[in-house]
């Protein structure tokens, strides 16, 4: 468990600060993460990696010559925001373009995707290569759905080495993609980590048992077996990975990099005992082992678990794997000293402006800021229950994520309103803050909702019920497009769509806004209840081992809660009028 | 806990094998540990480090250019044997001498000391610098009694860098000693590791509490407090270390290397949060921080704990700390590639010979081999209880150490006897095997006893009771000299001395050997009982927090057990005559 922290809410920030102090030879802080503290003589393609925090040396520890140029560092186990990714990439770009690379998780894909769009609009050449090495997270014919785990290091290393050699963005992207296509990982776990301040581990595995294929945030695995011997685990790892060969690879005669990665509290000595058999089995299969790694390269706090990654080399990849690298958390060979650089960050350029607004829109902005405060309060009360529900099917961070996001939105909304902002500006400031602090998929989606509604309300109009209903409908459409989810997928969309449809129908039928909102909220709550029931069933079924029921997220539940809270604010406003 | 192993008895060997496979770019195996797989163009002073296994990257992970030339790798938490240290140093010596450096633990001091004597007798120039950085393990005016913890890295790094620069043995020794004198550490723990196959952790700390000053093998600390915040722990570390300055150092204006070391399951993120405050506090004290390290540099499996080390730099030490190094577990800067070398080890030269023996001595050798088998069997039964007793005051390995040692002695004794060895040769072979496999202090002491008794018995005489009594008396004297312990120190000496004295008195009084041995055993058992009683009292007192009762080891108990077992063999031999 995590024992050393100050205020758990400050953990990720303080960790990044301490890391930047300790690793000042390699990195310097910029808003959103870190970039290199040194530069080569010639400009290079910038490899920018990232993801949630809690996986050290991924991601900040992999910044330095021969590896990444920058790392976007999100909150604990939560993807960074688009704003963070944009900020780090903008500083890192040396004029030769940016390669984003990160593990394939919905929140990261959303946020880095938004950042990429914004950077491209600003004239940066930006590409993205997702890491998808975890063979248990989706079948072989759906590799694009697979998660990224310790294969991160491989793809970053190959991309970083290619960039260091001065290759252009096309080649760096191609080689990173090629490395990912030739990288496969397989992980197991004996127990989960306990996040700072949490009172229970993210997941547990029964004593003496081992979860097979479990994700690095505790995402459910595919099987549970008795803990094998070290040799038995090595055999399981190697036999499965030798069955899942990349296209065009045959085992015998191949050259392979094995990476035996510890997740946190499986220690070096145990890993070496396992590696002994991995090494022997690869040799017996006719494979030549090249520069293996055994250690902690992509962790999950003190999670008890480990994974084996195989990188199937070819003539292009082998020299890139062998090239020198010098970062706080991964070093190889001899990197010639480079000159130090001091990055100048124009923080003022990053502050959202407050434009002119009409008096009625300012009044509406004040009301919205008040409603945001109510939402934050309601989510404080619900956070534990939301977290508990999320931990059954997901990574357990939904409660804390909604809490962080809504607090930030409340503060930003209040500041904007006090600064004279209209409705749109209050919502846009709140949206940016929510996304920044919450990270994760839900942070991105709530930012999308607030921004879309804000754009419909504007800063100088006095919107009527019809405008509000249309704004909500647009937000519903945007979220479906953006999150690629539809009704029935057991996400927030299950509640958002009936809410938007009921609201529009009621308003069209002549109901006042507060009444229409109440009925729409009833519809959202019905969907939320269905999700809650499914989660409860799933909780019971999981304890009996049935994993066929899918992975509902409690987004519908928190969405309905927000609707109900806003309804109270609306009803109160109507009553006092 | 340690979950991944095959046969726990093979863990250390298999770990070393897997490590050598994974780290073949840096190291190659030799009997007793590893040496570098590369060599510089010119011969250098060889820095040979070592200790028990379970502390990765200490000790094997610190072998490579700019660091150590060889590491002697003992069993889990048990010092290597003199034979191992001799073997590694002999291969590592490039003709410019050897510097032994290791943490100040009784077993390591004994074994490396014996190896040093043997190497010097063979013409090698060998020096030893003990690491004594742990400020809680003895008062400031008894620094020579302090244990070595994460300060190991500092002393090895400075010595390794000095050797790499081509300095001679006098200078390398002086600089290592100087580095040790300017290095101070302070550690805390939240819980102990569970060794492979053990069913309980080496020690526990109550939930929410923190042991202050606890050793890396679970040696008792000096205090227990509530777990502070990360900032609170940083303040505790820094304030205490700034009180304990090396001679001639003043805080303000100094340049210091802080090393925040994780013991196993306190992870990087937590360490960075703690480091953030360490860094700030050092800055506020007027200290300039130079190239800090935050990570796992001297571990204890997955023990939950961490330590802060400060190295107070001067003009000599700073460039040595900053010099490049390239080892499996610690890398710094750019080390130019070196040529690979293949060490040729003459294993045959290392096998003990069996010389000619008289028929009566051969018969006595067979009887001794039989008694050794009885001893191994008796220790099998007693191992758990001995381990339990040792865990109250020590590191809990006495049972398993005696078991490993006696098994090896039994096998070596039988082989020698079957090969026609006389009494002395059987005992010498058994002694070497015991020391090799058991490691630790008790391994060294039992080897000393068997060797001393063997020398008195010879290979061609038919010793009478007087010879045996004198042999035991010599062994008793040798052990007291060698282990620097006297009666009343609550070690094996408490039982050995009355045993030797009673045996001599009874034999002088005309008693037959079996009778004299029985009375001597009675005396040893009385002493053993006193130790057992003290351990029981201590167990009860510890649970009430009284740590003033000292640290008895169960060596007296196992000694009495061996005497009783040998008595049965003697009585049986007498009865069947």
């Amino acid at each position: 468990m995590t024992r050393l922290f100050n205020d758990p809410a400050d953990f990720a920030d303080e960790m990044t600060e301490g890391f930047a102090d300790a690793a000042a030879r390699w990195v310097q802080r910029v808003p959103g993460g870190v970039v290199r503290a040194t530069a080569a003589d010639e400009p290079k393609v910038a490899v920018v990696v990232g993801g949630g925090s809690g996986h050290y040396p991924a991601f900040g520890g992999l910044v330095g010559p021969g590896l990444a140029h920058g790392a976007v560092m999100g909150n604990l186990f939560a993807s960074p925001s688009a704003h963070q990714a944009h900020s780090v990439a903008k500083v890192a770009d040396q004029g030769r373009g940016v390669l984003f690379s990160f593990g394939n998780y919905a929140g990261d894909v959303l946020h880095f995707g938004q950042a990429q769009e914004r950077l491209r609009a600003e004239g940066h050449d930006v590409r993205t290569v997702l890491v998808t090495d975890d063979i248990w997270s989706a079948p072989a014919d759906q590799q694009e759905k697979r998660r990224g785990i310790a294969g991160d290091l491989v793809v970053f290393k190959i991309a970083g080495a290619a960039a260091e050699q001065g290759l252009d963005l096309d080649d760096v992207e191609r080689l990173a993609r090629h490395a990912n296509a030739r990288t496969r990982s397989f992980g197991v776990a004996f127990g989960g980590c306990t996040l700072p301040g949490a009172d229970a581990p993210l997941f547990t595995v029964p004593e003496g048992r081992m979860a097979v294929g479990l994700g690095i945030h505790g995402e459910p695995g595919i099987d549970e077996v008795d803990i094998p011997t070290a040799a038995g685990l090595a055999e399981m790892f190697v036999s499965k990975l030798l069955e899942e060969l990349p296209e065009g690879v045959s085992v015998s005669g191949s050259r392979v990099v094995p990476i035996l990665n510890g997740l946190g509290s499986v220690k070096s000595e145990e890993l070496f005992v396992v590696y002994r058999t991995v090494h022997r089995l690869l040799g017996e299969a006719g494979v030549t082992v090249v520069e293996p790694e055994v250690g902690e390269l992509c962790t999950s706090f003190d999670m008890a678990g480990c994974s084996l990654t195989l990188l199937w080399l070819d003539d292009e990849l082998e020299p890139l794997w062998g090239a020198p690298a010098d970062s706080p958390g991964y070093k190889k060979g001899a990197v010639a000293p480079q000159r130090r650089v001091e990055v100048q960050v124009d923080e003022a350029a990053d502050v959202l402006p407050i434009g002119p607004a009409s008096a009625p829109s300012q009044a509406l902005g004040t009301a919205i800021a008040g409603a945001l405060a109510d939402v934050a309060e309601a989510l404080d009360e619900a956070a534990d229950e939301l977290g508990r529900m999320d931990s059954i099917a997901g990574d357990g961070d939904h409660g804390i994520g909604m809490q962080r996001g809504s607090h930030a939105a409340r503060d930003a909304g209040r500041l904007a309103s006090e600064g004279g902002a209209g409705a749109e500006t209050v919502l846009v400031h709140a949206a940016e803050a929510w996304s920044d602090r919450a990270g994760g998929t839900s942070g991105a989606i709530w930012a999308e909702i607030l921004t879309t509604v804000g754009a419909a309300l504007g800063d100088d109009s006095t919107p009527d019920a019809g405008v509000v209903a249309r704004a909500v409908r647009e937000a519903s459409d945007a979220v479906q497009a953006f999150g690629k989810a539809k009704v029935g997928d057991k996400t927030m969309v299950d509640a958002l769509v009936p809410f938007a449809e009921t609201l529009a129908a009621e308003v069209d039928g002549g109901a006042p806004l507060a009444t229409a909102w109440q009925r729409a909220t009833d519809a959202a709550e019905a969907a939320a209840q269905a999700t809650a029931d499914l989660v409860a069933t799933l909780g019971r079924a999981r304890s009996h081992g049935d994993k066929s029921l899918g992975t509902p997220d409690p987004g519908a539940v928190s969405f309905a809660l927000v609707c109900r809270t806003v309804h109270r604010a609306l009803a109160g406003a109507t009553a006092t009028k």
Side-chain angles (χ1 to χ4, degrees), chain A residues 469-536:
Chain A
R470 272 193 302 282
V472 169
R473 176 72 77 111
E474 279 168 30
S476 169
D477 292 345
V479 167
Q480 287 177 80
F482 173 77
K484 300 195 184 82
K486 54 187 191 307
V487 173
D489 286 355
K490 303 298 165 202
T491 69
M492 177 213 271
V493 167
D494 283 17
L496 170 58
V497 168
F499 178 85
E501 284 175 359
T502 307
L503 185 69
E506 291 287 331
V507 167
D508 283 351
L513 181 60
T515 308
W517 193 284
Q518 163 153 10
R519 293 191 182 137
T521 299
D522 291 345
E525 284 180 343
Q529 189 59 50
T531 298
D533 290 346
L534 181 62
V535 169

Side-chain angles (χ1 to χ4, degrees), chain A residues 40-66:
Chain A
D41 292 335
E42 299 293 324
K44 313 281 185 189
V45 168
V47 176
V48 175
V49 304
S53 291
H55 305 295
Y56 194 84
F59 295 91
L62 301 178
V63 173

Side-chain angles (χ1 to χ4, degrees), chain A residues 414-493:
Chain A
R414 191 185 56 227
L415 267 178
S417 168
E418 288 170 2
E424 176 174 4
T425 299
V426 168
L427 282 164
V428 165
H429 282 229
E432 184 100 343
W434 190 312
S435 171
D436 251 22
R437 292 296 305 167
T441 315
S442 73
I445 287 177
W446 277 99
E448 189 76 21
I449 293 175
L450 300 186
T451 308
T452 308
V453 171
L457 301 187
D459 272 341
D460 57 6
S461 64
T462 311
D464 61 14
V467 169
V468 172
R470 272 193 302 282
V472 169
R473 176 72 77 111
E474 279 168 30
S476 169
D477 292 345
V479 167
Q480 287 177 80
F482 173 77
K484 300 195 184 82
K486 54 187 191 307
V487 173
D489 286 355
K490 303 298 165 202
T491 69
M492 177 213 271
V493 167

